[in-house]
Amino acid sequence: IEAVPQKIGFRTFEIRDKIMYLNGKRIVFKGVNRHEFNPEKGRCVTNEDMLFDIKFCKKNNINAVRTSHYPNQSEWYRLCDEYGIYLIDETNLESHGSWQKIEECDPEWNVPGNLPEWKECVVSRANAMLQRDKNHPSVLVWSCGNESYAGEDILAITQFFHEHDTTRPVHYEGVFWNRKYNEISDMESRMYAKPFEIEEYLNNNPDKPYISCEYMHAMGNSCGGMKKYTDLEDKYELYQGGFIWDYIDQAVYKKSKAGKNALAYGGDFNDRPTDYNFCANGIVYADRTPSPKVQEVKFLYQNIKLFPNKNGVLIKNQNLFITTGGYEMKCQVFCEGELKFVSNTSVSVLPQSEQFVEIKYPDFIDDGEYVYRVSMHLAEDTMWEAKGYEIAFGEYVLSSEKSVNKEQKASKEQLRVVKGDGNIGFYYNDISAMFSITEGGIISLKKGEKEFVDRAAKPVYWRASTDNDRGSDIAFKASQWGMASKYQRLTDFKFNFFENSYQLEYDFITPTNPPTKSKVIYTVNQECKINVKLHYYGQKGLPLLPVYGMEFRLSPLLDRFSWYGMGPDENYCDRANGAKLGKFEMSVRDNLSGYILPQECGNRTGIRFAKVFDNVSDGLLFEMVSQPYELSVLPYSTFDLENAMHIDELPPVTNTFVRIMAKQMGVGGDDSWGAPVHPEFLISGEEDIVFEYSISVIGEQEKQR
């Protein structure tokens, strides 16, 4: 392989060699994998874990791995040769504990630095790696190690690499900390640089290509704002991509305090000092189940970019060497989630080129929202996945004037209203709704004798803190919103009848500094359909809002939900590029993401309507009024998630919690120890928010709509 002959665009993750998980009685180590010798093949057979890893890379458009922070097992390199993965091969050197004190640079005790007693040792380690791995074509770059500052000893490693291999460039991030040794690295390498910092470098007459040897710290619910990084690849020729930190959560099964076999992290073994769950920052969980973050990674790492419209699709083939002829192109049109058209074809677009391909779609005369989706699928079986697997997609949404899912039922009976001293009831056919004046909202929604609502819904301003929320101090700065969600006070109530409907108006005040108001107006029509309007009154001096919406505590029998919006996996305003607009369905329990530290999860953006229902499809329908909303449906409340330190500490399921939100702030991911969510994905506490949706009681007939 020539030394980076043209722009590669690393779409990558890190591999770290640590304990992965307990499999029965056997602890499996990544990098010390088990092997069985096969005499017929004359070589070791790779275990199922390593095969999973290499196939995962290929299926999710990942094209490079940095073997941080020391060489991996040789079988991994052979697989990368065979399957086609670029490698940055990293010398066994990592000593940032000797020079970095709580994120501050203090090289007084730097090892190896310029210490002569270390020089031969570290060069020997580099030599061992080079001699072992030099014939692997997958090795594209040599790395001098990681986070060991700089000095004459590491410079000697670079000189050794250049002397013994003139075909590969050398990488080292540490020169960022000491520019006196800039010649150590053939590329500018940074860890967790913000997008604007990368652009500052690339706009300042750089003399080296740039990579982020670590970026998008994938700890817990993270990888928000990733598109800001991947967009740089098309904007700057010298931007060569980055390596997500990292691939897999490091955790091991052990008996929990409750006697359950559960994944454990730092501190669970009475180990002190510890970084607790800081080892859980992978895009797959410790048991190798892909996390929802993968949906975004796969999309943003697509080598084939697809930009459809109602006339065809613009195809940008960013592969370096192959055409799109090895893929089948599928063209689909959906009307409000229902498939209306599909066709398959193939087209050959040359590598590093683009082409607009016309598609003959039928004329659609029905009103509604249309999604034009074009996707690329494997035309033949490969080593890593079967024919038909989707490798890339793009969507175009075209809406008409008609609102989504707004069929109206003909009224059969008159709405009956019963007004008591503290409650107001509405009755229509077998549907009833009850509002409490003192509780501040809906306290009952029933179909026949089946009750759906457990307690009155209230405005919600808080989410269960993510790892990034804690690291960036959002959990501290916005903490008063947690108390506001829990202890807001009802200050006024009004009940009116007008225009053939009934209106119930509740005013709340928050225990924030300064206090602010939130108003909830319920309008009940003659078919007992309830329109809900929320108005948050912003106040100068209030911190940003994590969330604004309502949380419903419902019967646990409502254990499934479906939605028309973005999916299928969890997504957020800063992590929704890989989501598709469509109809999806799942169980409430399955919507709890497997983050090792329970936190905010299960969100969906762009919701047009959602249904929460039981085993006979009785339940509730939540519809947008003028703008899509955000949704989560979980078996636990915000505070259940906030209080638990492990998934097995969550209480038994006793309710279904539905959050209907005007908006939720992004999750962020530039790093997990200080980087804020990007401004465009935040919610100001100083500005008003107005939001509407509707609630209907449904049965089997309505559920099928």
Side-chain angles (χ1 to χ4, degrees):
I1 292 180
E2 295 179 7
V4 198
Q6 54 182 302
K7 182 175 180 178
I8 298 297
F10 292 122
R11 301 183 174 105
T12 61
F13 62 78
E14 314 281 355
I15 283 187
R16 288 196 284 179
D17 302 353
K18 294 190 178 181
I19 295 174
M20 290 297 104
Y21 59 89
L22 192 68
N23 184 4
K25 295 182 179 180
R26 177 182 56 208
I27 295 179
V28 180
F29 292 84
K30 181 65 186 172
V32 190
N33 292 279
R34 56 192 185 278
H35 289 74
E36 297 174 3
F37 187 73
N38 186 325
E40 296 180 1
K41 295 186 178 181
R43 64 173 178 82
C44 291
V45 178
T46 310
N47 69 63
E48 65 272 18
D49 298 336
M50 204 178 283
L51 278 172
F52 175 90
D53 296 341
I54 199 79
K55 291 178 180 180
F56 177 91
C57 290
K58 300 298 291 187
K59 289 192 286 188
N60 292 288
N61 299 317
I62 293 164
N63 70 3
V65 168
R66 171 176 166 237
T67 67
S68 51
H69 295 306
Y70 37 84
N72 289 170
Q73 186 179 350
S74 292
E75 187 68 4
W76 175 251
Y77 296 70
R78 190 200 65 74
L79 283 172
C80 290
D81 296 342
E82 184 177 356
Y83 282 77
I85 295 291
Y86 296 118
L87 290 176
I88 292 186
D89 204 4
E90 191 151 282
T91 305
N92 182 10
L93 178 59
E94 154 72 82
S95 65
H96 81 277
S98 72
W99 64 273
Q100 200 170 25
K101 314 298 182 184
I102 314 298
E103 303 305 320
E104 295 296 327
C105 179
D106 180 12
E108 180 181 358
W109 294 95
N110 179 32
V111 175
N114 299 326
L115 299 173
E117 61 267 32
W118 278 95
K119 185 173 182 179
E120 183 179 350
C121 173
V122 297
V123 172
S124 175
R125 294 184 183 191
N127 179 43
M129 180 179 73
L130 182 142
Q131 299 302 337
R132 190 196 72 163
D133 300 337
K134 62 187 178 184
N135 291 323
H136 284 288
S138 56
V139 176
L140 191 72
V141 177
W142 301 118
S143 176
C144 296
N146 180 70
E147 291 185 318
S148 300
Y149 195 63
E152 297 295 331
D153 292 0
I154 299 177
L155 177 59
I157 296 177
T158 296
Q159 292 169 341
F160 174 85
F161 283 141
H162 283 155
E163 180 182 350
H164 290 81
D165 184 354
T166 61
T167 67
R168 294 180 174 101
V170 177
H171 159 267
Y172 186 62
E173 179 266 346
V175 299
F176 170 76
W177 296 95
N178 189 337
R179 292 299 183 181
K180 178 181 176 182
Y181 295 96
N182 209 43
E183 62 187 298
I184 289 177
S185 185
D186 295 325
M187 59 202 71
E188 177 73 5
S189 176
R190 288 279 307 273
M191 289 184 179
Y192 308 108
K194 310 298 187 293
F196 79 89
E197 294 174 321
I198 299 172
E199 290 204 84
E200 284 179 356
Y201 170 80
L202 294 170
N203 285 323
N204 195 30
N205 298 316
D207 58 356
K208 296 179 182 180
Y210 177 93
I211 67 167
S212 289
C213 63
E214 294 176 21
Y215 86 119
M216 276 288 101
H217 198 261
M219 184 178 178
N221 194 343
S222 190
C223 293
M226 184 176 168
K227 189 174 186 292
K228 285 181 165 290
Y229 291 92
T230 55
D231 280 353
L232 299 178
E233 189 176 326
D234 295 326
K235 190 174 180 181
Y236 298 98
E237 185 64 25
L238 287 180
Y239 180 75
Q240 294 289 307
F243 293 76
I244 295 170
W245 187 270
D246 56 15
Y247 170 54
I248 190 168
D249 287 350
Q250 282 82 57
V252 60
Y253 280 110
K254 70 180 289 288
K255 289 292 183 183
S256 70
K257 295 175 184 177
K260 300 176 182 178
N261 198 33
L263 285 166
Y265 51 77
D268 292 334
F269 306 87
N270 293 324
D271 47 318
R272 304 292 189 277
T274 180
D275 283 335
Y276 300 97
N277 67 310
F278 202 78
C279 56
N281 37 40
I283 60 173
V284 302
Y285 302 131
D287 63 359
R288 279 183 168 77
T289 301
S291 81
K293 293 169 282 192
V294 175
Q295 178 175 260
E296 190 81 347
V297 172
K298 178 183 177 182
F299 179 83
L300 292 176
Y301 280 0
Q302 290 178 169
N303 286 323
I304 302 171
K305 303 293 198 310
L306 301 165
F307 302 94
N309 61 32
K310 63 180 182 178
N311 300 312
V313 59
L314 175 64
I315 303 171
K316 294 185 178 181
N317 182 7
Q318 296 181 334
N319 285 294
L320 295 179
F321 309 113
I322 62 172
T323 74
T324 60
Y327 302 99
E328 181 179 58
M329 187 170 76
K330 179 180 289 187
C331 309
Q332 297 171 289
V333 181
F334 300 84
C335 181
E336 298 180 4
E338 303 297 331
L339 183 63
K340 297 297 183 182
F341 172 82
V342 63
S343 71
N344 296 310
T345 186
S346 62
V347 59
S348 183
V349 180
L350 295 174
Q352 296 289 285
S353 65
E354 61 182 65
Q355 179 181 336
F356 185 84
V357 177
E358 291 188 1
I359 301 170
K360 294 188 179 299
Y361 291 115
D363 293 326
F364 299 105
I365 58 175
D366 294 335
D367 288 334
E369 183 175 56
Y370 287 86
V371 176
Y372 293 74
R373 183 182 301 156
V374 178
S375 51
M376 289 289 187
H377 303 254
L378 295 176
E380 302 293 341
D381 291 345
T382 68
M383 298 166 56
W384 45 271
E385 190 52 273
K387 174 183 177 180
Y389 179 77
E390 182 183 289
I391 201 66
F393 82 94
E395 287 188 343
Y396 170 72
V397 180
L398 182 65
S399 297
S400 70
E401 292 298 318
K402 182 191 171 204
S403 298
V404 176
N405 199 57
K406 293 293 182 181
E407 299 94 336
Q408 297 295 323
K409 297 179 293 182
S411 179
K412 297 178 181 178
E413 293 187 6
Q414 288 293 314
L415 181 72
R416 186 164 60 93
V417 182
V418 177
K419 189 176 185 302
D421 292 337
N423 301 296
I424 301 171
F426 299 88
Y427 302 87
Y428 175 79
N429 290 335
D430 62 344
I431 296 170
S432 66
M434 184 179 293
F435 294 80
S436 169
I437 298 172
T438 56
E439 287 295 311
I442 303 172
I443 58 169
S444 175
L445 279 172
K446 296 175 69 175
K447 182 176 175 61
E449 295 302 313
K450 192 177 293 185
E451 178 64 79
F452 300 132
V453 172
D454 188 71
R455 292 297 296 269
K458 302 281 181 65
V460 62
Y461 314 92
W462 183 250
R463 70 183 184 191
S465 301
T466 66
D467 289 308
N468 291 344
D469 288 344
R470 295 183 179 95
S472 64
D473 227 18
I474 289 296
F476 174 81
K477 294 175 181 176
S479 60
Q480 57 186 297
W481 291 120
M483 293 298 98
S485 294
K486 201 171 180 67
Y487 298 114
Q488 58 198 301
R489 179 190 298 163
L490 180 67
T491 60
D492 194 18
F493 172 77
K494 297 183 180 68
F495 179 59
N496 295 297
F497 173 75
F498 64 96
E499 296 182 359
N500 210 32
S501 63
Y502 296 85
Q503 189 177 89
L504 304 94
E505 184 176 318
Y506 296 87
D507 289 329
F508 298 91
I509 190 169
T510 63
T512 52
N513 186 20
T516 190
K517 296 186 299 181
S518 186
K519 184 187 292 290
V520 182
I521 301 173
Y522 299 92
T523 303
V524 185
N525 73 9
Q526 290 298 312
E527 289 80 38
C528 211
K529 183 173 183 176
I530 304 165
N531 187 86
V532 187
K533 183 176 182 179
L534 288 82
H535 189 162
Y536 166 80
Y537 296 87
Q539 287 287 336
K540 193 74 173 174
L542 283 172
L544 63 87
L545 276 163
V547 165
Y548 182 61
M550 294 188 75
E551 184 169 81
F552 291 82
R553 178 169 155 168
L554 305 178
S555 164
L557 297 177
L558 303 178
D559 60 357
R560 294 199 65 80
F561 74 107
S562 63
W563 72 98
Y564 174 42
M566 305 307 292
D569 293 340
E570 164 195 289
N571 53 86
Y572 293 82
C573 63
D574 63 349
R575 202 184 80 208
N577 297 281
K580 297 175 179 177
L581 177 57
K583 280 186 176 179
F584 308 97
E585 182 176 325
M586 68 188 306
S587 76
V588 174
R589 287 177 184 249
D590 287 345
N591 196 36
L592 180 71
S593 300
Y595 304 127
I596 197 166
L597 178 70
Q599 54 196 274
E600 159 60 39
C601 65
N603 194 69
R604 302 298 189 283
T605 62
I607 304 298
R608 280 65 168 167
F609 61 85
K611 302 164 187 176
V612 187
F613 49 91
D614 61 17
N615 61 346
V616 294
S617 298
D618 290 336
L620 301 177
L621 166 67
F622 300 89
E623 297 177 274
M624 76 176 207
V625 172
S626 58
Q627 295 293 328
Y629 59 87
E630 298 193 32
L631 167 80
S632 76
V633 185
L634 293 167
Y636 301 108
S637 73
T638 300
F639 292 97
D640 290 335
L641 297 173
E642 185 83 60
N643 294 334
M645 299 301 291
H646 299 79
I647 289 178
D648 68 292
E649 294 174 13
L650 289 165
V653 173
T654 56
N655 289 99
T656 291
F657 292 89
V658 176
R659 285 197 298 171
I660 308 294
M661 294 162 283
K663 54 180 72 174
Q664 177 174 178
M665 65 177 283
V667 293
D670 290 0
D671 66 47
S672 299
W673 50 88
V677 171
H678 290 279
E680 61 268 39
F681 305 119
L682 295 174
I683 309 170
S684 172
E686 300 182 336
E687 299 174 2
D688 283 22
I689 302 172
V690 179
F691 166 52
E692 288 187 76
Y693 64 96
S694 68
I695 310 172
S696 306
V697 176
I698 60 169
E700 174 63 26
Q701 182 177 357
E702 292 87 353
K703 190 260 174 183
Q704 296 301 324
R705 290 196 309 171

